[in-house]
Amino acid sequence: MDTEAIVRTFVEYFEERDHRRISGSTLLPAPGDSVLFTTSGMHPLTPHLEGRPHPLGRRLVNVQRCLRTTDLEEVGDATHLTAFEMLGTWSLGDYEGPQSLDWGYRLLTEGLGVDPGLLHATVYGGDDQVGPDTASLQVWQNHGVPVELTVEDNWWSNGPVGPCGPDSEIFLWSGGTPPTSTPTHDDRWVEVWNHVMMRYRRLEDGSLVPLPQRNIDTGLGLERLASLLQGKSSVFESDVFEPWRRLVPALWPLDEVSLRVVYDHLRSAIVVVGDGVRPAATGQGYVLRRLVRRLLTVVWQDDSSRTLGDLPHELVSHTLDHFRQEGEPSEVHRMLLEEEDRFRRLLERGRQVLARPRFQGPLKDEDFHYLHDTHGLPHDLVISLRSQ
């Protein structure tokens, strides 16, 4: 089952259960939001989770593009991506957790053909503020799915304050042997779908108060699920990355982990530009700049003459089309090349500055501040140049 078929099956399944499909928003949150990018499918729906009526009703389904920079250092492994798509469903004060989990189980096993014996669930075990989630536990026991109780791993929040609640996570076995152990003890159990019972608001003092309505918020990582359903060992081997695997290795011969970083960062940079962000020294533009510079550092590790100018336009067009963006591929390509040129010039200036006698010994905090404030050399770039 290819990625588009997975999306179609998911959306139609919930539409048949009276969910209305809503359009996924861009990566850019609403003005005044404290986060730089949309990090989950629920983010644009926060006002409705807090009680504002949604014009399409209480049951919703969508496909939302997301970007997370918290896992940048993990990119290169089998499951982490910076830009990705999240399949989501919501009950805004309508049905409760057991119904959501039952539908989730049936979609995975009946609609998508997952072997029930390859599933494992985790459920909130309770603490001194909120008791154990016995309703979710009962659902999984009724379906014969093994369950692990946790506390911190099964409590979802969007930050230190705000909407939150217990969750139940569904894991799929990715090992080549019969399933063993539990999700917290064996990373071959891969989390694919999180069902959050979003019932509370956490206040500044750490206390919890009930939200105006009891919500369900679920999120299923599309690329991760696709790779597992397609029997692949990593998200980068799924059909979504087929053009990247076909074109990039011949252009830039790199080891597997480096190729994954290049696929991810370049694809993510294209998506960010496609949503209207331009390279800058702060904010969203700096995230874009950081992605481009990280991928160029990898591309240039064996040959500094390599350039994004050689990047096939097919990859830019494929990414924009997949994420349903209307940007002009040639304009996105041009912007990436401009940032590459800017980075080359910065590297040359950095080498000249760091060659000065005052920077030959160990660098102090004031040296790093001076290099950043006077010469525009970020801390990580200075460290990289010093190690060359």
Side-chain angles (χ1 to χ4, degrees), residues 51-187:
R52 181 190 302 175
H54 193 284
L56 293 183
R58 292 180 174 271
R59 299 185 180 188
L60 307 174
V61 59
N62 87 338
V63 183
Q64 172 66 50
R65 58 182 175 270
C66 305
L67 187 138
R68 294 179 184 173
T69 58
T70 52
D71 296 327
L72 274 183
E73 300 302 328
E74 304 296 328
V75 171
D77 69 4
T79 60
H80 285 90
L81 293 170
T82 306
F84 60 95
E85 289 190 290
M86 186 73 79
L87 305 178
T89 64
W90 291 271
S91 165
L92 304 177
D94 191 346
Y95 56 84
E96 294 273 356
Q99 179 66 82
S100 179
L101 294 175
D102 183 68
W103 280 338
Y105 173 83
R106 295 181 187 281
L107 172 59
L108 288 173
T109 57
E110 300 169 10
L112 298 174
V114 173
D115 179 352
L118 299 180
L119 294 176
H120 202 300
T122 60
V123 167
Y124 184 66
D127 63 9
D128 57 357
Q129 286 187 285
V130 178
D133 184 4
T134 55
S136 295
L137 178 63
Q138 186 64 53
V139 170
W140 295 124
Q141 290 176 337
N142 290 345
H143 283 299
V145 175
V147 181
E148 182 178 21
L149 296 174
T150 83
V151 178
E152 292 183 2
D153 289 344
N154 284 102
W155 183 270
W156 191 96
S157 62
N158 198 34
V161 298
C164 58
D167 66 49
S168 181
E169 299 175 1
I170 306 174
F171 292 78
L172 183 58
W173 179 250
S174 66
T177 63
T180 63
S181 192
T182 66
T184 62
H185 292 91
D186 193 325
D187 59 11

Side-chain angles (χ1 to χ4, degrees), residues 164-229:
C164 58
D167 66 49
S168 181
E169 299 175 1
I170 306 174
F171 292 78
L172 183 58
W173 179 250
S174 66
T177 63
T180 63
S181 192
T182 66
T184 62
H185 292 91
D186 193 325
D187 59 11
R188 288 176 294 179
W189 286 109
V190 179
E191 179 196 344
V192 293
W193 203 349
N194 189 10
H195 292 241
V196 181
M197 280 57 83
M198 197 172 295
R199 304 166 182 164
Y200 305 99
R201 168 178 287 279
R202 189 174 296 279
L203 305 180
E204 293 281 356
D205 62 4
S207 62
L208 298 174
V209 296
L211 286 172
Q213 61 191 23
R214 293 164 65 90
N215 308 292
I216 303 297
D217 161 31
T218 86
L220 187 158
L222 176 58
E223 294 89 348
R224 187 176 293 184
L225 177 65
S227 67
L228 291 168
L229 293 180

Side-chain angles (χ1 to χ4, degrees), residues 321-351:
D321 290 344
H322 177 77
F323 284 92
R324 302 169 300 282
Q325 295 174 300
E326 298 179 355
E328 177 58 45
S330 60
E331 176 64 16
V332 174
H333 207 170
R334 182 189 65 79
M335 189 160 301
L336 294 174
L337 278 174
E338 288 181 354
E339 187 59 23
E340 176 187 302
D341 181 63
R342 190 177 294 112
F343 188 41
R344 283 190 187 276
R345 288 186 277 112
L346 178 62
L347 287 176
E348 181 57 33
R349 185 169 74 250
R351 292 188 184 99

Side-chain angles (χ1 to χ4, degrees), residues 294-333:
R294 282 172 61 95
L295 78 89
L296 286 172
T297 299
V298 174
V299 169
W300 291 340
Q301 62 188 1
D302 297 323
D303 185 351
S304 61
S305 68
R306 293 169 179 165
T307 173
L308 296 180
D310 297 330
L311 187 72
H313 277 248
E314 176 186 342
L315 293 178
V316 181
S317 300
H318 175 268
T319 302
L320 294 174
D321 290 344
H322 177 77
F323 284 92
R324 302 169 300 282
Q325 295 174 300
E326 298 179 355
E328 177 58 45
S330 60
E331 176 64 16
V332 174
H333 207 170

